[in-house]
Amino acid sequence: MAAVTSPICIRNHGGGNVAYKSSMFGNKLAEMRRSSLCVALCGNPTIQCVASEPRAKGKAADTSDHGKSIKPIANPSADDASSVASNIKYHAEYTPTFSPLKFDIQKAYAATAESVRDNLILRWNETYKHLHQVNPKHIHYLSMEFLQGRALSNAVGNLELRDAYGAALQKFGYDLEEVYEQEPDAALGNGGLGRLASCFLDSLATLNYPAWGYGLRYKYGLFHQTITKDGQGEVAEKWLELGHPWEVVRNDIVYPIKFYGKTVEGYNGKKEWVGGEDISVVAYDVPIPGYQTKNTISLRLWQTKASAEDFNLDAFNRGEHEAAARALNNAEKICFVLYPGDESEEGKALRLKQQYVLCSASLQDIIARFKERSLASGGKVNWDSFPSKVAIQMNDTHPTLSAPELMRILVDVEGLSWDQSWQITQATVAYTNHTVLPEALEKWPLDIFQKLLPRHYEIIERIDHEFIEQILTCEKFAASDLEKRVHHMRILHNVDIPSDLKSLLPSAAPAPTPAKTPAKKGSEEASATAPVVEKKVEKPKTVRMANLCVVAAHTVNGVAAIHSEIVKDEVFNDFYKLWPHKFQNKTNGVTPRRWLRFCNPELSKVITKWLGSEDWVLNTDKLAGLKKYADDKQLHREWFQAKRANKIKLAAYVKEKTGYTISPDSLFDIQVKRIHEYKRQLLNILGVIHRYKKMKEMSAKERKEKFVPRVSMFGGKAFATYMQAKRIVKLITDVAATVNNDPEIGDLMKVIFVPDYNVSVAEVLIPASELSEHISTAGMEASGTSNMKFCMNGCVLIGTLDGANVEIREEVGEENFFLFGARADEIAGLREERSKGKFKPSPEFEAVKKFIRSGVFGSYDYDPLIGSLEGNEGFGRADYFLVGKDFPAYIKAQEEVDEAYRDMDRWTRMSIMNTAGSPFFSSDRTIHQYAQDIWGIKPHPLP
């Protein structure tokens, strides 16, 4: 504990002491106690709540005399402490969502959020009016996920009102950080796909681009993760239970949605979709503020509902209560859960309903606004101008139905010809591919699709027909390959080729008649020449959504350089040969506001001091200016102190959430992402087990000399029905229970699984990280964005040449990245080698598996998990993700990590160089590229 109060902080790593003068820990101790930064070492009994869900304090602060003299005055544009305090009190009294006569911290949060929202609504309305008058081209970003994180801290930061709100809340006896923590994360996403979408909205607003985000309003999210002795558990999210002050319900924005039914031809020859199940959607808007700009754009979320007339009052009064509410329940359950289980036919239908709701509601809304603004300009609706006003980006395959839905509206509702509608559609929609995994390239059973969306099936059938004809009549494929190309590329899979196109197939040409051979006499000879009739196994008929995306979109982009090459060379190679002009790369990015400036104020202060201004927050290229100071010892000291403060905060969080105590003197090694076999959390924990096993084989002196103290942290959710991923979580928690309670090991090794990982948890973990693991099987991670966040925060990465790792390593320098593992172009050959029985696992790898099976980590049956790493063929066998192959190289790379961490000058320099090399990975750069190369939109700042 003396290290905290002493002007010198000393760390012993076996290989020598590392000491930095750390006046911060002495001179600002009182301040740090208030912010809970030193709780883990100072013994402060009040641990700061940094969890994603609101927490009641153990003992409420006495605020009875605070704020009594403040007058409640509505002032939406409040920007100083006094006017902000008055506006907060106004909302506490006149926009009540909690009981009167008290002003507890949850009520303080609600009133503060309402106050901030006032300011946003002023900017929001001005932005909408300005863009309505100018009527520029807009981008409409459709995504099944938007992983927003807390809105209050982000809004206050983007509005640059942190000081004003901090001082105002002090008048009521509350700390701004404590108020932030009352807000639960909006449960609108799960992983990188949703977080990317949210970063993009932040950059679109900040850069003044005309934009809308479109998603669904999930009542219960994906799930809230619990960790027990049995592993992962799932319960429904409760983010809406206390209300969500950031959303504005638009009761006048309601659209009809239809399922099932049939199509009929009207008197005028138009197709009509009739009968079936009818529901409605209503819009809930969330304001998205930009940084250092008035521009505020919208995230529009759709909520499904049924009308009051659909409630069967007669059935209810007969006691048939469930039947009476069936229509309401069928409508509302569409927006209950993100990614409902789809193993059953009902689950598949529900997922398809979700996707159609997103696409239909959004397209109806986009078209209504296009028509409104076209008529407002004094003219008539010119449909040919639609692509010059509207761009639609499909974020992965979930919004694929945007294309056939746009066709349906243009042809059936607006009366345009098929050819004109198809031309408009192809000029409007674009597609971002986020995966190379076959199971993630969505395919819907044809029977479910045709039954649920009969009109869309007809439209897709015609698109498929015309596309097959294009393949068969183009000159880019050899005639001998045409049938194979059609089978691989068409949208409707395992469906007979239309009869009118069969004549175009090479196989349709009459084959030469073979010369007749006289038949031999005798029953044996006759039976020998008789044809063998084999029973035909019918393959499942599906609608391939990714293929539809590529056919319908004017542009297809990957999200990292290596991923875009794999998309062209492997995933969509035939399409690339047909339309090479369609394919682009747009490497992902993350917003530097949330992911550095706001979540890491300690490091941000150091960066601003050394760069001379905060210009880097908008122009991340300026971060490269840190390179010239990378060897400056004073910067090293300040950098170290900022990192250590974040580590102490994380230690407090870990103690609160898990009960484990970790030392901030240890190397913080973190892997946080969705739990999946290809992301190889299994490789990480096997490496941890190897390390533990080696330690147990050594004397205390030997292990201290050999190993750097390390805390290995994991976080992420395993999909509820993905049993192998849940076994990985169970193994991690079992290893943690053993290692963390081993007195021989002590602080030399700790293993932590952080429960319910989300944006708010990431904002605590990432600033404190020193080593981050991005160790997916090469060629399987499209990009990743957590690697960018860690890099931006001065974390050194260990990883494979996969996704954006390739570009990060180029930007930060090879010497500042720990590389290991097989390359993407080697993977197929290595799998083939394995199938032939040529792979020989290392003795260390075999020893780790044996160690697990010995029961040292408990009696749980890990054979299904360990068995997946064994054998040479078969489903769930043969180590498909090459954990065993990369294991020796991974262990060697971890030894290099230990060696580097012992030299704190070297490590701090590596950390600085990672931040200095991160400018390219700002989502501002990505959005500028999309805007220029794909969407054709321009900035329109408020005057």
Side-chain angles (χ1 to χ4, degrees):
M1 296 204 182
V4 177
T5 55
S6 169
I8 301 289
C9 287
I10 299 176
R11 297 167 46 183
N12 190 312
H13 283 280
N17 289 336
V18 179
Y20 279 149
K21 291 183 179 178
S22 185
S23 60
M24 171 184 165
F25 290 101
N27 298 342
K28 297 189 178 179
L29 185 57
E31 177 184 335
M32 289 170 61
R33 284 184 187 273
R34 284 193 298 272
S35 62
S36 298
L37 288 176
C38 64
V39 63
L41 296 183
C42 296
N44 187 336
T46 305
I47 297 175
Q48 182 184 22
C49 175
V50 286
S52 59
E53 68 272 13
R55 289 278 183 136
K57 301 297 175 182
K59 182 178 180 181
D62 181 10
T63 59
S64 56
D65 293 328
H66 290 287
K68 285 190 173 181
S69 62
I70 298 171
K71 294 182 178 179
I73 301 173
N75 185 357
S77 59
D79 60 2
D80 62 84
S82 295
S83 58
V84 165
S86 292
N87 201 41
I88 290 173
K89 190 163 186 181
Y90 171 85
H91 282 291
E93 295 190 9
Y94 300 112
T95 316
T97 52
F98 293 89
S99 300
L101 305 181
K102 63 178 181 178
F103 191 71
D104 62 15
I105 195 163
Q106 286 187 333
K107 188 171 182 178
Y109 160 69
T112 302
E114 295 282 358
S115 174
V116 174
R117 196 183 74 168
D118 284 351
N119 199 310
L120 294 182
I121 287 175
L122 284 178
R123 298 164 183 248
W124 206 9
N125 290 342
E126 287 180 34
T127 304
Y128 187 88
K129 290 174 186 175
H130 172 65
L131 295 177
H132 185 76
Q133 292 170 355
V134 177
N135 193 20
K137 185 175 185 179
H138 281 62
I139 175 60
H140 304 82
Y141 198 85
L142 273 64
S143 179
M144 287 297 285
E145 294 185 44
F146 286 92
L147 198 58
Q148 291 288 94
R150 289 174 175 149
L152 179 57
S153 57
N154 192 71
V156 169
N158 272 358
L159 295 173
E160 298 184 283
L161 292 175
R162 179 182 172 84
D163 290 343
Y165 273 88
L169 285 167
Q170 287 291 334
K171 295 175 183 291
F172 296 100
Y174 290 115
D175 179 76
L176 180 59
E177 294 290 335
E178 290 180 333
V179 172
Y180 284 164
E181 289 154 13
Q182 302 312 302
E183 180 181 0
D185 277 30
L188 300 171
N190 174 41
L193 186 78
R195 187 51 240 171
L196 178 76
S198 296
C199 282
F200 278 6
L201 292 187
D202 179 88
S203 287
L204 284 163
T206 296
L207 301 174
N208 302 310
Y209 284 113
W212 287 78
Y214 283 103
L216 297 182
R217 183 178 180 264
Y218 304 105
K219 186 174 183 179
Y220 301 118
L222 182 73
F223 59 82
H224 176 90
Q225 182 190 54
T226 61
I227 299 296
T228 68
K229 62 181 179 61
D230 298 319
Q232 173 182 292
E234 305 91 23
V235 296
E237 290 273 12
K238 55 183 181 180
W239 69 288
L240 287 173
E241 282 193 356
L242 295 178
H244 187 56
W246 303 101
E247 63 185 13
V248 176
V249 59
R250 306 292 192 186
N251 290 309
D252 58 328
I253 307 295
V254 180
Y255 297 105
I257 304 288
K258 181 183 288 293
F259 303 114
Y260 304 110
K262 62 182 180 179
T263 58
V264 297
E265 191 169 307
Y267 69 92
N268 55 0
K270 280 188 179 182
K271 287 289 185 78
E272 292 183 38
W273 185 9
V274 299
E277 175 186 330
D278 295 300
I279 66 168
S280 299
V281 290
V282 61
Y284 284 75
D285 286 356
V286 179
I288 309 295
Y291 178 73
Q292 291 189 351
T293 177
K294 289 183 178 180
N295 281 48
T296 301
I297 62 175
S298 296
L299 169 58
R300 177 157 284 179
L301 303 171
W302 299 111
Q303 175 69 59
T304 48
K305 66 174 188 175
S307 67
E309 289 82 357
D310 290 319
F311 180 75
N312 191 329
L313 193 59
D314 287 340
F316 191 84
N317 288 330
R318 290 195 304 269
E320 299 169 8
H321 300 157
E322 290 185 9
R326 185 171 293 122
L328 277 66
N329 292 335
N330 284 340
E332 291 174 0
K333 74 180 181 182
I334 293 172
C335 289
F336 273 176
V337 175
L338 169 65
Y339 301 140
D342 61 354
E343 293 184 350
S344 65
E345 184 171 320
E346 293 79 4
K348 289 181 175 66
L350 184 57
R351 278 216 194 185
L352 190 54
K353 279 185 174 183
Q354 286 185 333
Q355 295 186 6
Y356 181 60
V357 166
L358 170 64
C359 296
S360 180
S362 302
L363 264 296
Q364 290 183 69
D365 193 51
I366 292 166
I367 287 172
R369 194 160 47 250
F370 168 76
K371 293 169 71 174
E372 177 189 15
R373 291 181 178 179
S374 296
L375 296 172
S377 61
K380 63 179 183 178
V381 177
N382 177 9
W383 287 105
D384 288 331
S385 71
F386 189 79
S388 68
K389 295 296 183 180
V390 173
I392 295 173
Q393 190 70 34
M394 300 180 292
N395 191 29
D396 216 353
T397 53
H398 308 124
T400 305
L401 289 168
S402 299
E405 176 67 0
L406 179 55
M407 288 293 294
R408 182 190 71 83
I409 295 172
L410 293 178
V411 174
D412 296 355
V413 179
E414 301 299 340
L416 275 64
S417 71
W418 175 274
D419 289 344
Q420 184 185 11
S421 299
W422 185 238
Q423 186 176 8
I424 291 170
T425 299
Q426 284 193 303
T428 301
V429 302
Y431 162 54
T432 299
N433 173 269
H434 283 280
T435 183
V436 301
L437 298 177
E439 66 268 24
L441 296 173
E442 290 183 303
K443 302 173 186 176
W444 291 111
L446 188 143
D447 55 343
I448 294 177
F449 193 104
Q450 192 172 15
K451 181 181 178 182
L452 187 68
L453 301 170
R455 179 56 180 140
H456 295 79
Y457 179 75
E458 292 178 350
I459 291 170
I460 291 171
E461 196 174 36
R462 180 166 176 180
I463 294 171
D464 186 57
H465 183 286
E466 294 183 357
F467 180 52
I468 294 172
E469 186 174 13
Q470 183 177 2
I471 297 171
L472 294 176
T473 56
C474 79
E475 299 179 355
K476 294 196 175 185
F477 302 124
S480 59
D481 286 342
L482 283 178
E483 284 193 61
K484 184 176 75 174
R485 304 292 183 193
V486 168
H487 177 77
H488 182 63
M489 299 172 71
R490 67 176 298 192
I491 300 163
L492 301 178
H493 191 42
N494 296 324
V495 176
D496 289 340
I497 291 177
S499 56
D500 62 318
L501 296 179
K502 287 182 178 179
S503 61
L504 298 176
L505 292 169
S507 59
T513 305
K516 288 187 178 181
T517 304
K520 294 181 180 181
K521 294 182 179 180
S523 60
E524 283 189 20
E525 289 86 351
S527 63
T529 58
V532 177
V533 179
E534 294 184 5
K535 187 177 181 180
K536 187 177 180 181
V537 178
E538 187 165 334
K539 296 179 180 178
K541 297 177 181 180
T542 59
V543 182
R544 297 190 284 197
M545 306 302 271
N547 290 25
L548 176 56
C549 279
V550 179
V551 172
H554 60 80
T555 304
V556 177
N557 73 277
V559 290
I562 186 174
H563 170 241
S564 295
E565 292 305 308
I566 292 172
V567 165
K568 292 188 294 186
D569 295 343
E570 298 177 26
V571 182
F572 298 125
N573 181 247
D574 288 338
F575 292 95
Y576 176 64
K577 290 175 180 175
L578 183 63
W579 298 310
H581 63 279
K582 278 194 177 189
F583 290 81
Q584 296 186 17
N585 174 59
K586 294 289 173 281
T587 299
N588 285 342
V590 300
T591 168
R593 270 76 62 185
R594 182 182 286 272
W595 292 114
L596 181 54
R597 176 61 187 86
F598 302 155
C599 78
N600 198 343
E602 299 290 335
L603 189 63
S604 294
K605 290 173 187 174
V606 175
I607 292 171
T608 297
K609 173 186 171 182
W610 285 81
L611 294 181
S613 75
E614 280 199 336
D615 291 350
W616 60 268
V617 181
L618 272 178
N619 182 4
T620 52
D621 286 345
K622 291 185 178 294
L623 289 173
L626 292 169
K627 292 179 181 179
K628 64 184 177 182
Y629 306 116
D631 294 309
D632 191 293
K633 300 306 178 189
Q634 180 59 30
L635 175 58
H636 280 213
R637 281 189 286 271
E638 295 175 18
W639 200 270
F640 172 84
Q641 291 166 8
K643 180 66 72 173
R644 184 176 175 83
N646 289 324
K647 290 174 71 177
I648 294 172
K649 181 178 180 182
L650 176 54
Y653 175 72
V654 167
K655 178 69 175 177
E656 178 197 353
K657 299 298 288 185
T658 71
Y660 292 127
T661 299
I662 60 175
S663 169
D665 289 332
S666 301
L667 166 63
F668 280 14
D669 173 356
I670 298 177
Q671 185 180 20
V672 282
K673 50 187 76 221
R674 178 168 51 95
I675 309 296
H676 197 290
E677 289 170 278
Y678 88 83
K679 294 179 183 287
R680 298 204 295 190
Q681 288 92 348
L682 181 56
L683 174 60
N684 187 346
I685 194 61
L686 292 180
V688 169
I689 293 169
H690 169 80
R691 189 180 183 93
Y692 177 63
K693 180 176 178 294
K694 289 296 181 184
M695 286 183 181
K696 295 295 287 183
E697 293 168 355
M698 296 177 179
S699 68
K701 181 180 179 182
E702 287 173 330
R703 64 176 72 108
K704 283 186 178 180
E705 290 175 351
K706 173 70 175 176
F707 295 104
V708 163
R710 186 184 298 217
V711 180
S712 294
M713 299 188 216
F714 298 81
K717 295 180 179 181
F719 191 66
T721 58
Y722 187 179
M723 296 311 299
Q724 203 71 306
K726 296 180 81 168
R727 291 186 186 105
I728 293 171
V729 174
K730 172 65 173 162
L731 178 58
I732 294 168
T733 57
D734 281 351
V735 171
T738 300
V739 171
N740 297 349
N741 292 292
D742 189 332
E744 290 184 359
I745 301 303
D747 285 340
L748 203 55
M749 171 183 273
K750 296 291 184 185
V751 180
I752 303 295
F753 191 95
V754 181
D756 203 42
Y757 178 69
N758 58 20
V759 173
S760 295
V761 178
E763 290 171 344
V764 182
L765 286 169
I766 291 174
S769 62
E770 294 175 289
L771 179 74
S772 184
E773 311 239 359
H774 302 273
I775 56 178
S776 51
T777 310
M780 302 200 75
E781 183 75 84
S783 170
T785 52
S786 66
N787 46 7
M788 302 172 185
K789 296 161 195 161
F790 282 101
C791 173
M792 196 173 279
N793 281 270
C795 180
V796 183
L797 272 55
I798 180 171
T800 53
L801 285 177
D802 195 26
N805 285 359
V806 178
E807 292 153 277
I808 289 175
R809 184 168 176 262
E810 291 171 356
E811 294 292 326
V812 306
E814 295 179 6
E815 69 280 9
N816 302 309
F817 186 106
F818 294 102
L819 178 68
F820 76 95
R823 300 189 309 272
D825 58 2
E826 298 175 320
I827 301 301
L830 290 169
R831 286 177 178 150
E832 183 179 359
E833 183 181 286
R834 176 75 180 236
S835 70
K836 294 177 179 178
K838 295 181 179 180
F839 171 71
K840 301 297 180 186
S842 69
E844 293 83 2
F845 185 65
E846 292 298 289
V848 167
K849 292 191 297 177
K850 183 178 180 181
F851 196 52
I852 295 170
R853 283 175 166 146
S854 72
V856 69
F857 302 115
S859 59
Y860 183 82
D861 181 13
Y862 281 110
D863 274 347
L865 181 61
I866 303 304
S868 70
L869 306 175
E870 299 173 333
N872 297 322
E873 58 184 359
F875 180 76
R877 301 277 293 173
D879 194 10
Y880 185 77
F881 301 101
L882 302 175
V883 174
K885 172 63 181 178
D886 281 349
F887 186 79
Y890 178 66
I891 295 304
K892 185 175 184 298
Q894 291 288 10
E895 291 171 354
E896 294 170 0
V897 169
D898 278 13
E899 180 183 354
Y901 198 71
R902 286 191 177 94
D903 182 350
M904 195 45 57
D905 281 336
R906 177 188 171 191
W907 189 272
T908 304
R909 187 183 193 282
M910 293 173 73
S911 176
I912 293 167
M913 291 299 290
N914 267 268
T915 300
S918 67
F920 180 76
F921 304 104
S922 167
S923 51
D924 294 351
R925 182 269 311 158
T926 314
I927 287 300
H928 276 315
Q929 290 180 344
Y930 272 100
Q932 179 177 338
D933 301 339
I934 298 179
W935 301 331
I937 60 174
K938 296 180 179 179
H940 284 273
L942 277 170

